[in-house]
Amino acid sequence: MVYFTIDKVYYYIFGGNALEKLLITGKTPLKGEVTISGAKNAAVAILPATLLINGICTIENLPNISDVKISCKILEELGAKITWNSKNEITIDTRNVCCTNAPLDMTSKFRASYYLLGALLGRCKNAQVGMPGGCNLGARPIDQHIKGFEALGANVEVGQGKITASVKKLVGNSVYMDVVSVGATINVMLASVLAEGTTTIDNAAKEPHIVDVANFLNTMGADIRGAGTDMIKINGVKELKGNATYSVVPDQIEAGTFMLAAVASRGDIKIKNCITKHLEPITAKVIEMGGNVEEIGGDTLRVWCNKRPSKANIKTLPYPGFPTDLQPQIGVCLSIADGNSTINESIWESRFQYTEELNKMGAKITAQGKSAFFEGVKKLYGSPVCATDLRAGAALIIAGIIADGQTKISNLQYIDRGYENIEEKFRNLGAKIERINEEE
Ligand code: EPU
């Protein structure tokens, strides 16, 4: 059995190594096979969800990324015992969890720490976490999470850089979400699993990772119905016993990133271990841009493109619409498309920071507010660029691969938050990409 050593984790947890850069020499068509890892946004919710279990469980297909490592570290601080069975599998024993105050410095490092609120509230009836951090995508309110907790009877206070929640007894209730929110849907689900009575969430988000978290909880003993629709019903149970193994769903966004990399680079990629149904919104746009998509067997997609991508218009929407988390990656395809395109970003107010970086590489993009206009250019040129957030970082890697010359990407801590072995996966597809230390 291989045990993952946690010695280098601090680099990830405490802010990354600013000297590390990705050096990419373009331009290469990507060809070959890539295997998709477990979904980041499912994993970062399933890990806090283990706090609701009074027992032991094993989680397989965990992506080996910094957001997962920091989540595990926080769970250990709260009293959980974690054994790494391999780099993608842990066994976690939550029987001795007693602390309800998640370390403020760690929780404020990433977004998904807000799931500790729902999970600790469910288990211990009170919780304290630092204001969640994460990528800077504009305002990221949590009013719908709070509304949900309050509907179950909790008292929630926000101030001095932290959120505290407490309750004598959680009692099921109806919660209507004013906006479709992935985080609020999952958080209210977590808080209501052990509540007395039934909770309904109306206008719930339907993303694949919501279904995955519900499946995980049901495997551990919960009674959640309707996940994946806009009405989720949670019948409170007395206890989650655990004693089960669960495998995290494949990452829809990672698979989509490679689909779009195939289009941008005029490549031919077999994307293994994906759920093709989850990729339908991306498949539709790949075909519109002139690419080809073929389903092979149950869980593999072949995506290839022999020509310059065609123009396309995109509007990001909650699932099953086109995901905001693939907006920068499709932006790279549109930057070199034949014709002019527009993207309307309807989820985040500040997700076009990457366009300035692409413009440094020769793209002609004008972004204003939640829209961007793309005047397709024939080619991009290598340049030093900076990953402004996780998905922007993935987009810049694709841009570097298709550009003439060398691209150097800084701010890798964003990319490492959400993509496992990204340079190795691209290298296996033929990309000339290496991680360098500027000091060397
Ligand atoms: N919103 C509110 N109030 C709330 C919650 C959300 O107004 O209480 C608004 C947001 O401002 C946003 C919209 O609702 O305009 C959707 O936000 P949502 O809550 O769905 O986003 P999230 O849960 O904070 C997750 C992912 C994001 C992804 C979004 C949308 C995780 C940890 N993060 O964020 O992933 O963009 O859903 O799909 O699951 C990424 O992986 O790069 C990433 C940013």
Side-chain angles (χ1 to χ4, degrees):
M1 201 179 277
V2 183
Y3 287 93
F4 172 73
T5 53
I6 210 141
D7 54 340
K8 294 260 164 79
V9 159
Y10 287 92
Y11 145 64
Y12 294 112
I13 294 178
F14 296 112
N17 176 356
L19 299 174
E20 278 194 341
K21 310 259 159 79
L22 282 178
L23 184 67
I24 305 172
T25 309
K27 75 196 222 179
T28 341
L30 298 172
K31 294 206 158 102
E33 290 183 357
V34 62
T35 301
I36 299 307
S37 300
K40 164 182 101 78
N41 288 343
V44 295
I46 286 173
L47 287 167
T50 61
L51 291 170
L52 294 163
I53 301 168
N54 193 16
I56 299 172
C57 69
T58 294
I59 306 170
E60 301 172 339
N61 204 33
L62 261 186
N64 195 268
I65 53 175
S66 65
D67 272 10
V68 161
K69 290 170 194 165
I70 193 169
S71 300
C72 288
K73 196 81 195 123
I74 292 170
L75 291 175
E76 286 177 327
E77 293 283 327
L78 293 170
K81 188 167 175 290
I82 296 180
T83 309
W84 287 84
N85 305 322
S86 74
K87 73 178 178 48
N88 298 111
E89 183 186 307
I90 60 167
T91 294
I92 178 160
D93 179 351
T94 44
R95 284 173 301 184
N96 293 322
V97 168
C98 52
C99 174
T100 58
N101 291 357
L104 299 186
D105 54 342
M106 287 191 190
T107 46
S108 57
K109 291 262 180 234
F110 73 127
R111 194 76 206 155
S113 58
Y114 51 35
Y115 293 133
L116 291 162
L117 280 173
L120 284 172
L121 203 52
R123 181 184 179 117
C124 310
K125 311 288 173 279
N126 64 73
Q128 178 184 297
V129 304
M131 279 310 274
C135 290
N136 176 13
L137 310 173
R140 298 186 77 170
I142 55 163
D143 55 301
Q144 299 303 303
H145 303 235
I146 295 173
K147 175 180 167 178
F149 297 150
E150 286 175 346
L152 300 176
N155 178 41
V156 185
E157 281 172 25
V158 183
Q160 296 175 325
K162 61 186 184 193
I163 310 165
T164 48
S166 59
V167 68
K168 279 211 173 82
K169 183 166 78 170
L170 286 163
V171 181
N173 202 345
S174 305
V175 181
Y176 175 82
M177 295 288 168
D178 299 320
V179 292
V180 178
S181 161
V182 169
T185 301
I186 292 179
N187 233 343
V188 174
M189 212 158 75
L190 294 176
S192 51
V193 159
L194 298 176
E196 185 181 287
T198 297
T199 300
T200 54
I201 307 175
D202 277 298
N203 200 23
K206 297 181 273 200
E207 269 66 5
H209 33 290
I210 288 172
V211 180
D212 206 44
V213 177
N215 286 344
F216 167 77
L217 289 165
N218 284 344
T219 304
M220 300 300 148
D223 182 358
I224 303 173
R225 300 162 193 215
T229 74
D230 57 14
M231 212 278 270
I232 302 179
K233 187 170 166 189
I234 304 114
N235 294 315
V237 296
K238 288 227 150 46
E239 193 185 24
L240 300 190
K241 284 201 164 44
N243 297 326
T245 295
Y246 190 79
S247 183
V248 177
V249 71
D251 197 313
Q252 175 210 22
I253 303 302
E254 190 196 4
T257 299
F258 283 102
M259 290 172 78
L260 296 167
V263 173
S265 72
R266 301 191 197 182
D268 189 342
I269 308 182
K270 274 196 192 132
I271 301 164
K272 297 166 81 175
N273 188 36
C274 59
I275 297 186
T276 56
K277 171 90 189 139
H278 296 165
L279 299 168
E280 281 171 2
I282 304 107
T283 296
K285 287 295 164 187
V286 166
I287 292 169
E288 200 177 316
M289 290 187 293
N292 307 283
V293 181
E294 183 191 358
E295 197 175 326
I296 307 170
D299 69 348
T300 300
L301 273 189
R302 177 181 166 215
V303 182
W304 73 105
C305 188
N306 302 322
K307 62 184 209 43
R308 187 176 173 195
S310 311
K311 64 184 178 166
N313 294 326
I314 307 291
K315 181 171 177 147
T316 63
L317 288 168
Y319 188 82
F322 189 88
T324 174
D325 293 345
L326 287 170
Q327 190 259 96
Q329 299 90 317
I330 204 164
V332 177
C333 300
L334 300 181
S335 73
I336 50 148
D338 190 4
N340 299 334
S341 311
T342 55
I343 297 184
N344 285 305
E345 168 60 53
S346 71
I347 312 291
W348 300 120
E349 64 189 25
S350 184
R351 205 163 207 176
F352 284 123
Q353 296 170 69
Y354 74 92
T355 59
E356 281 178 31
E357 303 304 303
L358 285 186
N359 285 347
K360 289 180 194 161
M361 301 177 75
K364 288 192 178 158
I365 310 167
T366 316
Q368 199 172 32
K370 286 174 134 186
S371 302
F373 176 74
F374 291 68
E375 187 183 330
V377 295
K378 285 213 166 102
K379 57 164 93 166
L380 299 179
Y381 299 90
S383 165
V385 285
C386 175
T388 49
D389 63 66
L390 166 60
R391 307 304 171 184
L396 292 175
I397 292 178
I398 300 173
I401 288 168
I402 64 171
D404 274 3
Q406 275 201 337
T407 295
K408 204 187 276 177
I409 307 177
S410 54
N411 251 7
L412 303 191
Q413 74 276 10
Y414 282 121
I415 303 175
D416 293 333
R417 285 190 37 220
Y419 287 93
E420 176 172 350
N421 284 342
I422 191 156
E423 65 260 35
E424 196 182 315
K425 287 186 181 184
F426 275 111
R427 214 168 18 241
N428 289 342
L429 293 169
K432 296 190 188 82
I433 176 170
E434 56 178 323
R435 191 174 287 243
I436 55 161
N437 195 317
E438 277 284 71
E439 262 183 345
E440 283 170 5

